[in-house]
Amino acid sequence: MSPKSSRIRNVFEPLDSSWVADQWHSRFGISKEAFSGYKFFQKAKSIWAISDACLPRLSYETIGMRIMSCKGRPWKPTTCALQIFGRYATKNLMHLETAFARIFLEGASQAVESDCEPGYVVVFYRGEVLGCGLYSHGKLVSQIPKERRMADRGSEDLS
Amino acid sequence: MDFLDRYRDIVPDYEAFRAIQCQPLHSSARINTLKIKRDQLLEKLRGQGVLFETFAWYPLGLRLDAGSPGKLLENLLGYIHIQEEVSMVPPLVLDPRPGETVLDLCASPGSKTTQISQMMENRGLVIANEPSLNRLAPLRSNCERLGCLNVAITRYDGRNFPRIPFDRVLVDAPCSSEGRERRGPGVLARSSCKRSMDLQVLQIGLLKNALRLTKPGGAVVYSTCTYAPEENELVVQAVLEETDEARLERISIPGLKECPGITEWNGRELKSELQSAARYYPHINDTGGFFVAKIIKN
Ligand SMILES: C[S@@+](CC[C@H](N)C(=O)[O-])C[C@H]1O[C@@H](n2cnc3c(N)ncnc32)[C@H](O)[C@@H]1O
């Protein structure tokens, strides 16, 4: 089932894992094996992932982690999901230098040079995933959720 | 603070207990092994010049000497979680294993949920239950930041959580929070016996259901951050009295000093078994206060 065929309903519906793996493979070049061992669900326009285990029949608020939103086009990965799966990315990723990483963590936009395709990218700093960015025409817009942004400049050191 | 005087006879070295209430608690954090290895994290902190000390009793616990540890990049990226030192005890006592099915009946903001998730290495299933609507967001946000992939959140009244068998259940009950005075004075000013007795009714309801939901051979851990026996030993006693299917297991964590649960209160004699429960006092380990009991279902 693809997001298109699913009605907007407020329930978790099981989702085929190969569809999820295909999306991440085509955007980020992540191998499909990275998504084995999880179950996927769709609720409204969000996709959720949980470790493969038997789920008792309950009324759930969340099932595992929200990994992507299909509200807009293209679909958008969540920062928390990129911190798990993003390290396997082989394309549409960028490595930032310290000064740029700081701006990104503050949640701001900045000019960067990159050969990424326009769209969502995995942002790395010193080999670690910081989160999701939106890249186009030489501009990187941080997608770090508000509550996880670094506060004022200079208050904390990166290392 | 005079309210504490009712504990004069049960707290060892009562004067020191009173004195430490006015001293603020040190900051502490837990290393989140779902996202980083311990050594790598310690290396990062050293690199940043953050002073820290690891707990004597728990290698993943850190006392931090940082102004606002919540703002550390390591916290924003989910490598650490700011958590009070003794609050890390109940999950250790629960001792969940990878692959099990575990219920955290009173979960928000998820400090213990996420610790359980990491002890289970993101395998098996943790149901994090929290009925309060406005406490859902912090629970969810902590699970996501810390990279928990084996947690599902529900919103039942814990007393009526549907009958599903669990290997282990944690009841970190709503309580009068007297043990948190060092974190922000004022808690004690709101304490009263009436309040404890009202909470007791809820706590007994929660613990009873938790025991019902546990598989034979499984374990329930009951914890509070308060000293009031009404919310601690008396709750456990009430639930044990109703069943012959359960017993207490002795709690002892090497490197952390506990005091035994009390067996007499206000002239009333309690089950001697309650000695197996643990009371953690702030002046003994320089922490907050906690009560923890572990019940095994036969
Ligand atoms: C002490 S706090 C839990 C702290 C949490 N275990 C942690 O370590 O982060 C108690 C929680 O129980 C919740 N609660 C209140 N009434 C409840 C009920 N009837 N059933 C289940 N949980 C309840 C409160 O909303 C509160 O979030």
Side-chain angles (χ1 to χ4, degrees):
Chain A
M1 180 182 51
S2 83
K4 259 184 284 172
S5 66
S6 141
R7 299 128 294 172
I8 303 184
R9 278 174 51 192
N10 224 21
V11 293
F12 287 96
E13 302 192 59
L15 189 64
D16 187 13
S17 74
S18 63
W19 179 82
V20 175
D22 283 347
Q23 303 301 308
W24 288 70
H25 181 73
S26 65
R27 176 68 199 174
F28 298 112
I30 296 176
S31 113
K32 297 186 181 174
E33 282 85 75
F35 295 91
S36 65
Y38 300 100
K39 279 182 176 159
F40 298 92
F41 291 85
Q42 174 167 10
K43 182 177 174 182
K45 294 283 186 184
S46 291
I47 313 293
W48 300 70
I50 189 161
S51 298
D52 199 358
C54 179
L55 278 177
R57 232 175 222 282
L58 289 167
S59 163
Y60 291 103
E61 291 295 317
T62 69
I63 297 187
M65 176 187 281
R66 190 171 155 268
I67 59 163
M68 57 202 280
S69 158
C70 301
K71 215 181 269 168
R73 297 209 147 260
W75 61 271
K76 177 182 176 178
T78 61
T79 275
C80 58
L82 285 185
Q83 289 178 353
I84 307 281
F85 300 106
R87 77 184 107 125
Y88 307 116
T90 54
K91 60 177 184 179
N92 291 318
L93 56 98
M94 57 177 82
H95 292 270
L96 299 181
E97 296 298 330
T98 304
F100 292 87
R102 182 188 304 279
I103 293 169
F104 178 79
L105 286 167
E106 285 168 357
S109 305
Q110 59 190 320
V112 293
E113 268 177 44
S114 162
D115 51 11
C116 288
E117 299 160 334
Y120 294 109
V121 295
V122 192
V123 174
F124 283 78
Y125 174 66
R126 296 203 179 169
E128 290 169 280
V129 176
L130 296 182
C132 178
L134 178 58
Y135 176 75
S136 73
H137 302 104
K139 190 172 146 203
L140 176 67
V141 184
S142 171
Q143 306 292 308
I144 299 268
K146 280 199 188 60
E147 70 274 15
R148 250 158 271 161
R149 291 183 188 165
M150 229 160 87
D152 42 306
R153 194 176 295 234
S155 69
E156 224 69 57
D157 277 331
L158 287 188
S159 72
Chain B
M1 251 226 249
D2 289 339
F3 185 73
L4 289 179
D5 276 347
R6 64 199 298 264
Y7 307 134
R8 187 178 283 278
D9 293 338
I10 61 172
V11 179
D13 197 358
Y14 181 75
E15 294 313 320
F17 170 73
R18 278 295 294 257
I20 204 164
Q21 303 296 335
C22 310
Q23 291 175 27
L25 210 53
H26 53 78
S27 321
S28 55
R30 165 171 51 85
I31 301 173
N32 177 28
T33 51
L34 292 177
K35 280 195 157 177
I36 196 163
K37 291 199 175 72
R38 179 179 185 269
D39 291 348
Q40 284 174 330
L41 188 273
L42 298 184
E43 205 42 58
K44 275 178 181 296
L45 292 181
R46 280 189 202 108
Q48 286 203 55
V50 177
L51 300 180
F52 64 85
E53 217 177 283
T54 55
F55 299 172
W57 59 277
Y58 187 38
L60 299 181
L62 301 173
R63 290 189 177 193
L64 288 174
D65 190 2
S68 31
K71 287 195 188 143
L72 287 174
L73 179 63
E74 286 69 21
N75 187 52
L76 297 175
L77 294 182
Y79 298 163
I80 58 171
H81 178 65
I82 310 302
Q83 183 176 358
E84 209 276 296
E85 178 161 345
V86 267
S87 152
M88 300 181 206
V89 168
L92 288 189
V93 171
L94 188 69
D95 193 21
R97 314 288 166 89
E100 288 184 337
T101 305
V102 175
L103 173 62
D104 185 355
L105 198 59
C106 313
S108 188
S111 292
K112 300 181 188 73
T113 304
T114 53
Q115 191 179 353
I116 291 168
S117 166
Q118 95 176 48
M119 291 175 77
M120 291 168 64
E121 298 166 11
N122 252 343
R123 288 185 277 154
L125 178 66
V126 185
I127 303 287
N129 182 69
E130 173 55 55
S132 156
L133 189 58
N134 54 21
R135 291 179 60 94
L136 280 183
L139 173 60
R140 201 181 134 182
S141 158
N142 280 325
C143 289
E144 294 192 329
R145 179 176 55 90
L146 296 168
C148 301
L149 283 157
N150 59 347
V151 178
I153 301 178
T154 59
R155 248 195 87 201
Y156 295 94
D157 180 324
R159 292 167 292 189
N160 307 320
F161 191 95
R163 198 77 175 255
I164 285 161
F166 287 93
D167 296 300
R168 294 167 208 269
V169 181
L170 174 64
V171 184
D172 189 40
C175 71
S176 55
S177 307
E178 292 160 1
R180 294 175 59 130
E181 180 73 9
R182 293 182 69 193
R183 284 176 67 168
V187 173
L188 290 173
R190 291 189 298 275
S191 286
S192 72
C193 292
K194 159 97 174 55
R195 177 133 192 271
S196 287
M197 292 313 290
D198 289 347
L199 284 162
Q200 185 187 70
V201 176
L202 171 59
Q203 290 156 343
I204 291 176
L206 291 169
L207 184 53
K208 256 192 210 161
N209 195 31
L211 205 56
R212 235 178 272 138
L213 298 171
T214 306
K215 294 179 189 168
V220 179
V221 168
Y222 176 80
S223 56
T224 71
C225 56
T226 210
Y227 310 113
E230 291 82 356
E231 301 179 52
N232 295 327
E233 285 88 349
L234 293 182
V235 170
V236 176
Q237 159 117 354
V239 172
L240 289 181
E241 267 170 356
E242 277 198 7
T243 171
D244 46 14
E245 283 194 316
R247 62 184 165 82
L248 285 185
E249 187 173 279
R250 155 147 254 116
I251 295 175
S252 144
I253 294 180
L256 189 70
K257 289 197 196 89
E258 76 281 341
C259 296
I262 60 168
T263 53
E264 200 200 314
W265 178 242
N266 277 349
R268 176 178 166 201
E269 195 146 328
L270 308 175
K271 281 176 176 281
S272 62
E273 216 191 336
L274 286 164
Q275 284 178 56
S276 301
R279 288 180 157 261
Y280 296 96
Y281 291 119
H283 58 305
I284 296 190
N285 301 289
D286 191 12
T287 58
F290 245 82
F291 171 85
V292 189
K294 182 171 191 176
I295 306 170
I296 306 292
K297 184 157 166 180
N298 299 333

